[in-house]
Amino acid sequence: MKLFREIKKCFENQENLFYLFLAILIVPNIVLCFTEPMPAVAKVCNVLLPFSVYYAIMSWSKNCGRTFWILFPFLFFGAFQIVLLYLFGQSIIAVDMFLNLVTTNSSEALELLDNLIPAIIMVVLLYIPALVLATVSVVKKRKLPETFIRRERKRVRIALAAGILSLGAAYLLDFRYELKSDLYPANVCYNIALAFQRTAQTQNYASTSKDFTFQAKAVRPKEHKEVYVMVIGETSRAANWAIYGYDRETNPGLSEVEGLTAFRHVLTESNTTHKSVPMLMSPVSAHDFNSIYRQKGIITAFKEAGYRTAFFSNQRYNHSFIDFFGKEADTYDFIKEDTRDSGYNPSDDELLKSVAGELAKGATKQFIVLHTYGSHFNYRERYPSEDAFFLPDFPVDAEVKYKDNLINAYDNSIRYTDGFLTRLIRMLQEQGADAAMLYTSDHGEDIFDDDRHLFLHASPVPSYYQIHVPFLIWMSDSYRRNYPALMQNAENNRQKNISSSASFFHTMLELGGVETPYRNDSLSVTSILFTEKPRVYLNDHNEARPLDDIGMREEDFEMLQNKGISYR
């Protein structure tokens, strides 16, 4: 009881709470010093300047509990930041993190929630007791002594001067230093403003793109029956595909398919679905991503060229460009939205039923886009239990100790994708038409692959495993006979360095014989004009940056080199 009374007395002391609250506010800044690859002078500034500002705000009022609550948005950012660091190991809260909150469906979020429990517990223990103490201070109208306030305000002046000097030193000694990018929480506030701006632009998309036209036309004979399918995979990394040299049998079907070309050195320009998929479905790339608000997608190009179009997705609405582009089609269906059951989790093979129904309509010119759920975590739920080939595939909790089980489950999902694509190709071959299929994945995935113990995707700084993706083209017997040059060009280009984000759209147009001023054959992998371009990545501020300028680590460049992939 005596110990309890001492503790109670300690926390009732407003001076003690003042320093406690100040320490809690600066925790994320201190943690970032250990996680971010910044020069020492930048780390000093990242602690000293925010600390001095918090110090000044805390000394502004005699009731430190009320001031602490006023600073609640920064406590929220701190909690979010700690969870982010637990999940990805580095970087501040990105614009894409905020956008993911509104574009990720609830079922995906719930799949990850169990794996964030340690971070959530950490955040609760750090912030909730402090907020309770602050509430008690406010309710009981406790105040700091006047002498304490005067003394602390004098110290604040010194702290602010030191903070401003540290900022000047950071700019002077580190030419790459930017307050909006490197100083927490100023960078988070800037990213929030960008997130609101992009959300507003997205909501206005219908009006900003309404007059857009591809001026597209078909150049092949109208009487020739043609069927083209563009398949966008999910979270599938090339490192686990047997046709790219993986030592497990993850591609028993595709390895036997004739007319298939697998491109080996393909990187995506984004590790987030809400950016990567729109780039695959439109002319935009990392170099001009912000033009997406004025343009439409590839489905509209094929519609203008006289094709009957369809879009089938095994993902839920995300209220962004994937939805907008998909709904341009004559027929569209987000199959998970066909029921109110939030737990409905159909396999990708359900999409084949939609494809069969569309093919049965017998249109002479057909273009179909499929958006699969592929290998998205939780991997074990991406394939039927009877299709589990690599065992054990339980449990699949996001912990290093379950890495082997996670890999087994992930490889099973890749093997299931292999079967899905093989069955789709068989359906197309049976049409007896000029047919082609183009496949890639939006991004890859980390699965505790090295000593960094990274997991999942969409991290602010990508890894090799998140950006090296499969890229396949299949052409039917009839198509190869009629357009042998396209097959030959594809074979000639399959070892070249390719950006899926930049090449997917243009390759699909060439495969379908659709001409438009927006088509660039130097980006089409089936063109003799294809030209390798410098590697870039779409960063959080929608800037195209070289791969060696986005924070990737030595381990990632070693893997790229091992795979024969140029990163410049």
Side-chain angles (χ1 to χ4, degrees):
M1 289 297 294
K2 182 178 179 181
L3 177 62
F4 176 78
R5 286 194 298 270
E6 289 295 326
I7 294 173
K8 184 173 179 290
K9 182 179 178 181
C10 177
F11 285 120
E12 287 177 347
N13 185 307
Q14 297 302 286
E15 296 180 18
N16 291 343
L17 287 186
F18 179 94
Y19 294 126
L20 174 65
F21 294 160
L22 194 55
I24 289 173
L25 284 163
I26 204 65
V27 164
N29 298 74
I30 294 172
V31 174
L32 286 166
C33 287
F34 295 96
T35 63
E36 304 310 294
M38 296 187 293
V41 65
K43 292 182 179 181
V44 170
C45 178
N46 199 36
V47 173
L48 199 53
L49 184 56
F51 176 81
S52 66
V53 174
Y54 290 142
Y55 199 175
I57 296 172
M58 288 294 298
S59 63
W60 168 69
S61 171
K62 291 182 179 180
N63 188 295
C64 60
R66 182 170 62 245
T67 309
F68 195 62
W69 268 106
I70 290 172
L71 291 169
F72 178 79
F74 298 96
L75 300 178
F76 174 79
F77 298 155
F80 196 168
Q81 184 66 66
I82 289 171
V83 171
L84 175 69
L85 292 174
Y86 174 83
L87 188 60
F88 295 126
Q90 69 177 105
S91 198
I92 56 99
I93 308 169
V95 180
D96 290 336
M97 291 291 105
F98 291 112
L99 294 177
N100 281 341
L101 292 177
V102 295
T103 59
T104 298
N105 63 66
S106 58
S107 61
E108 287 186 7
L110 290 172
E111 286 179 350
L112 295 175
L113 188 59
D114 288 346
N115 301 289
L116 295 176
I117 287 177
I120 294 172
I121 291 174
M122 192 186 315
V123 163
V124 167
L125 292 177
L126 180 63
Y127 291 107
I128 298 302
L131 288 169
V132 171
L133 291 171
T135 302
V136 172
S137 177
V138 172
V139 171
K140 295 195 174 183
K141 299 181 179 179
R142 292 171 177 164
K143 295 185 178 180
L144 291 162
E146 188 65 38
T147 54
F148 178 87
I149 290 292
R150 285 199 299 269
R151 185 189 70 204
E152 297 307 310
R153 286 176 179 173
K154 289 179 182 178
R155 292 176 176 176
V156 161
R157 297 189 188 101
I158 299 172
L160 283 171
I164 293 170
L165 285 173
S166 70
L167 178 62
Y171 272 108
L172 185 64
L173 300 176
D174 181 8
F175 72 94
R176 298 174 63 180
Y177 186 83
E178 287 184 311
L179 188 144
K180 69 178 183 180
S181 300
D182 299 313
L183 182 68
Y184 178 92
N187 44 20
V188 175
C189 294
Y190 178 75
N191 288 347
I192 288 176
L194 281 181
F196 275 111
Q197 180 188 53
R198 292 181 195 172
T199 300
Q201 290 175 309
T202 301
Q203 290 175 343
N204 291 327
Y205 172 75
S207 60
T208 56
S209 65
K210 63 184 176 64
D211 296 325
F212 180 86
T213 175
F214 282 102
Q215 303 171 46
K217 61 181 181 179
V219 297
R220 293 172 184 164
K222 291 183 179 180
E223 65 274 11
H224 281 197
K225 182 173 176 57
E226 296 178 272
V227 181
Y228 302 106
V229 180
M230 181 168 132
V231 184
I232 301 171
E234 172 69 57
T235 320
S236 189
R237 65 188 202 181
N240 289 59
W241 283 59
I243 57 177
Y244 293 117
Y246 188 48
D247 60 2
R248 302 182 89 175
E249 294 180 19
T250 53
N251 298 126
L254 292 175
S255 61
E256 301 295 327
V257 169
E258 292 186 10
L260 185 77
T261 304
F263 298 81
R264 303 185 67 86
H265 303 148
V266 182
L267 302 183
T268 179
E269 292 178 353
S270 176
N271 65 351
T272 61
T273 298
H274 76 270
K275 281 185 175 179
S276 179
V277 174
M279 284 193 283
L280 297 173
M281 294 182 68
S282 73
V284 304
S285 67
H287 288 288
D288 60 350
F289 187 81
N290 286 328
S291 67
I292 196 170
Y293 302 104
R294 303 185 301 274
Q295 301 190 34
K296 293 185 179 179
I298 193 168
I299 289 173
T300 290
F302 272 83
K303 282 180 72 174
E304 290 179 4
Y307 278 79
R308 175 173 178 81
T309 59
F311 177 83
F312 302 118
S313 172
N314 194 16
Q315 304 207 24
R316 294 194 179 274
Y317 294 141
N318 76 344
H319 314 293
S320 190
F321 293 97
I322 302 172
D323 297 0
F324 303 155
F325 293 160
K327 291 179 180 180
E328 293 172 6
D330 296 308
T331 300
Y332 64 84
D333 188 11
F334 294 74
I335 63 175
K336 284 185 177 176
E337 301 289 349
D338 294 343
T339 174
R340 293 183 178 181
D341 180 7
S342 60
Y344 179 51
N345 189 33
S347 69
D348 284 335
D349 265 9
E350 290 297 309
L351 295 174
L352 296 183
K353 297 177 182 178
S354 300
V355 173
E358 189 66 21
L359 294 175
K361 294 176 181 178
T364 305
K365 308 287 187 183
Q366 290 182 292
F367 177 59
I368 302 170
V369 178
L370 303 179
H371 189 196
T372 72
Y373 211 31
S375 299
H376 193 288
F377 187 81
N378 185 330
Y379 317 131
R380 183 58 193 82
E381 297 180 6
R382 304 288 86 87
Y383 55 92
S385 57
E386 59 268 21
D387 286 350
F389 184 81
F390 304 104
L391 297 170
D393 58 352
F394 275 110
V396 285
D397 294 339
E399 298 181 46
V400 177
K401 64 182 178 181
Y402 297 124
K403 176 183 175 180
D404 290 344
N405 301 35
L406 286 163
I407 292 292
N408 285 341
Y410 185 81
D411 286 349
N412 284 335
S413 73
I414 300 294
R415 190 178 171 97
Y416 188 75
T417 294
D418 173 87
F420 166 81
L421 293 175
T422 303
R423 289 185 284 276
L424 174 61
I425 288 170
R426 190 179 304 123
M427 289 175 63
L428 296 177
Q429 185 73 278
E430 290 171 354
Q431 297 301 302
D434 290 345
M437 181 204 74
L438 180 63
Y439 169 87
T440 193
S441 179
D442 54 357
H443 50 71
E445 183 93 318
D446 285 313
I447 315 177
F448 303 117
D449 299 287
D450 53 41
D451 292 340
R452 293 173 294 177
H453 295 159
L454 303 177
F455 188 60
L456 298 178
H457 59 270
S459 57
V461 176
S463 71
Y464 152 77
Y465 295 97
Q466 293 184 43
I467 61 175
H468 185 199
V469 293
F471 192 107
L472 312 173
I473 295 177
W474 171 81
M475 303 177 188
S476 69
D477 297 340
S478 171
Y479 190 96
R480 297 198 307 275
R481 284 194 301 270
N482 290 332
Y483 310 106
L486 295 186
M487 183 68 181
Q488 186 59 54
N489 293 338
E491 287 295 317
N492 293 341
N493 291 328
R494 69 187 185 88
Q495 296 285 3
K496 293 182 179 178
N497 290 291
I498 296 165
S499 162
S500 58
S501 307
S503 292
F504 205 64
F505 171 88
H506 303 281
T507 301
M508 192 73 254
L509 289 179
E510 184 168 36
L511 284 170
V514 175
E515 288 191 351
T516 162
Y518 289 85
R519 177 174 140 185
N520 182 351
D521 285 354
S522 73
L523 294 171
S524 170
V525 300
T526 53
S527 173
I528 195 172
L529 300 177
F530 176 78
T531 306
E532 293 178 290
K533 306 290 194 302
R535 296 288 196 188
V536 294
Y537 183 83
L538 183 65
N539 74 1
D540 190 50
H541 293 167
N542 287 354
E543 301 165 331
R545 293 287 184 89
L547 293 187
D548 54 5
D549 188 35
I550 58 174
M552 288 176 62
R553 301 299 180 91
E554 183 180 342
E555 295 93 332
D556 302 312
F557 295 114
E558 288 178 357
M559 284 301 302
L560 289 170
Q561 289 176 335
N562 289 342
K563 297 294 183 179
I565 300 173
S566 170
Y567 56 85
R568 292 188 172 89

